[in-house]
């Protein structure tokens, strides 16, 4: 049996968020939470009983401790987080936005130890003692170093017969679509499951279709067993070599805090995927992402029993 069921790598950050109704230029208070897309996925899967590991490179200090303890506290194995003696922790600032004003993110991620990560920093043997390697386009986008490390992680996993999951998760503030495709398409082609929104499919891979057609076209482009595609509230789509094509309706829910909801969806879906039922995983993902929107913080805190709680506004007694 593998040591882990899922192993991932990404940069730990601190998110600083304006309170609703305020803007960064005039805010006097900010809400501080730990953040990391890959660690969010590992954290929720750990809470659902999966053996999950997260690797990173962070500087010694209280802010790094704050981030690491967030994920250690829900059971994620953080033994592969490398601590450097100097440096700073990545930050990002967020204005939540309220219609008609969109949410806005400002990154402050330069000059962190993770941006200079190299292959020699990492404990590959331990990171690859896993059933599934999970990577995202966010980490690949940061620097050429991080893109090389993500690519190497995937190559080493493929050489060992370890399955790979990719979340494209394109961030236009971090890299352009040409570079994103150059790095991510080879990774997608080696993956067992790819998560790619309809918008990312068009922007990064040139797939100009909608709904189920976009999802099917992405699976044909990558030649992979499974693609899961989202299109905001219009639907969730599955294209799978054995289960065929399926569409899942999306239920609108009130939004308290948006960051982390996509990670929760990916985690819920992978929970089912690891159990051999990706369709059930999508249903889990829809439930976990809806819960994620109801509370503050990038990491969704959830118990396995809550996956089966009926949707209600009443008090669970």
């Amino acid at each position: 049996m593998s040591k882990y069921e899922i192993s991932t790598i990404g940069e730990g950050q601190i998110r600083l968020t304006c309170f609703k109704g305020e803007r960064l230029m005039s805010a006097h208070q900010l809400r501080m939470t730990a953040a990391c897309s890959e660690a969010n996925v590992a954290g929720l899967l750990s809470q659902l009983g999966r053996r999950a590991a997260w690797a990173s490179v962070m500087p010694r200090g209280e802010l790094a401790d704050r981030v690491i303890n967030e994920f250690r506290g829900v059971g994620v194995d953080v033994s592969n987080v490398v601590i450097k003696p100097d440096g700073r922790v990545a930050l990002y600032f967020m204005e939540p936005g309220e219609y008609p004003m969109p949410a806005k993110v400002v990154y402050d991620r330069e000059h962190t130890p993770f941006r200079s990560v190299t292959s020699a920093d990492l404990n590959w043997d331990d990171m690859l003692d896993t059933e599934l390697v999970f990577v995202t386009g966010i980490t690949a986008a940061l620097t050429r170093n991080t893109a090389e490390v993500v690519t190497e992680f995937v190559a080493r996993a493929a050489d060992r017969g370890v399955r790979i999951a990719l979340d494209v998760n394109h961030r236009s503030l971090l890299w352009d679509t040409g570079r994103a495709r150059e790095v991510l398409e080879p990774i997608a082609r080696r993956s067992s499951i790819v998560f790619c929104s309809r918008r990312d499919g068009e922007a990064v891979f040139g797939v100009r279709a909608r709904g189920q057609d976009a999802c099917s076209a992405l699976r044909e482009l990558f030649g992979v067993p499974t693609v899961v595609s989202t299109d905001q509230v219009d639907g969730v789509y599955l294209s799978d070599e054995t289960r065929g094509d399926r569409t899942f309706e999306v239920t609108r829910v009130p939004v308290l805090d948006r960051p982390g909801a996509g990670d929760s969806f990916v985690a819920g879906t992978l929970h089912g995927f690891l159990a051999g039922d990706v369709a059930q995983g999508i249903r889990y993902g829809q439930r976990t992402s809806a819960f994620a929107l109801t509370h503050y913080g990038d990491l969704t805190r959830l118990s396995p029993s809550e996956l089966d709680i009926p949707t209600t506004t009443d008090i669970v007694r």
Side-chain angles (χ1 to χ4, degrees):
M1 182 177 69
S2 299
K3 183 176 180 180
Y4 308 117
E5 289 171 278
I6 182 169
S7 176
T8 190
I9 185 170
E11 182 169 43
Q13 306 163 74
I14 294 289
R15 170 161 67 105
L16 298 161
T17 309
C18 296
F19 288 86
K20 284 200 171 184
E22 295 187 353
R23 303 204 65 189
L24 275 173
M25 67 179 70
S26 56
H28 296 286
Q29 299 180 76
L30 298 171
R31 183 188 301 274
M32 186 176 80
T33 52
C36 173
S37 182
E38 296 87 353
N40 293 337
V41 171
L44 182 50
L45 282 167
S46 179
Q47 292 173 81
L48 296 176
R50 299 288 179 185
R51 302 184 306 280
W54 167 56
S56 191
V57 180
M58 301 198 73
R60 190 177 308 281
E62 293 181 1
L63 287 180
D65 290 344
R66 169 71 178 81
V67 175
I68 295 167
N69 289 338
E70 176 89 355
F71 301 108
R72 178 191 284 125
V74 293
V76 176
D77 186 305
V78 296
S79 61
N80 290 317
V81 175
V82 177
I83 302 298
K84 297 287 188 177
D86 301 305
R88 56 172 300 238
V89 172
L91 308 175
Y92 82 94
F93 298 81
M94 182 176 175
E95 292 179 357
E98 199 72 53
Y99 182 83
M101 181 70 73
K104 177 183 177 182
V105 166
V106 176
Y107 291 112
D108 182 12
R109 302 182 68 164
E110 296 291 336
H111 311 298
T112 65
F114 188 80
R115 297 176 74 88
S116 302
V117 62
T118 67
S119 178
D121 287 319
L122 302 170
N123 184 351
W124 291 114
D125 285 339
D126 195 74
M127 290 167 60
L128 290 162
D129 190 2
T130 184
E131 295 178 19
L132 182 72
V133 158
F134 173 64
V135 295
T136 78
I138 297 175
T139 294
L142 294 177
T143 64
R144 290 199 173 270
N145 283 56
T146 62
E148 289 171 2
V149 161
V150 168
T151 299
E152 182 173 354
F153 196 10
V154 168
R156 286 174 178 262
D159 288 345
R160 295 192 183 202
V162 174
R163 292 185 296 173
I164 297 150
L166 167 67
D167 183 5
V168 171
N169 216 340
H170 179 59
R171 293 289 186 266
S172 61
L173 295 179
L174 297 178
W175 59 356
D176 62 51
T177 55
R179 174 64 176 160
R181 183 167 191 170
E182 177 188 346
V183 173
L184 296 180
E185 188 166 337
I187 293 173
R189 292 182 181 276
R190 304 184 90 160
S191 298
S192 296
I193 180 170
V194 176
F195 295 86
C196 183
S197 72
R198 193 269 306 171
R199 289 187 176 188
D200 287 353
E202 180 173 351
V204 179
F205 302 107
V207 174
R208 292 176 174 83
R210 301 189 71 86
Q212 188 64 61
D213 290 340
C215 188
S216 302
L218 285 165
R219 189 168 76 83
E220 183 176 350
L221 173 67
F222 301 142
V224 295
T226 306
V227 170
V228 177
S229 184
T230 57
D231 195 359
Q232 297 185 314
V233 298
D234 290 341
V236 175
Y237 309 97
L238 169 67
S239 184
D240 184 86
E241 66 179 359
T242 59
R243 295 171 178 81
D245 295 345
R246 297 186 61 176
T247 298
F248 301 78
E249 292 185 4
V250 173
T251 302
R252 292 175 180 265
V253 297
V255 178
L256 183 63
D257 191 36
R258 191 176 299 278
D263 300 331
S264 294
F265 172 75
V266 169
T269 302
L270 289 178
H271 184 51
F273 176 78
L274 286 164
D277 191 343
V278 68
Q280 181 60 45
I282 289 173
R283 288 186 282 269
Y284 288 149
Q286 290 183 295
R287 175 60 62 89
T288 55
S289 60
F291 284 173
L293 293 168
T294 68
H295 62 263
Y296 291 108
D298 287 47
L299 173 63
T300 302
R301 295 181 179 271
L302 187 72
S303 67
S305 63
E306 288 176 308
L307 286 178
D308 299 319
I309 291 176
T311 302
T312 176
T313 57
D314 199 4
I315 299 173
V316 178
R317 303 179 187 274

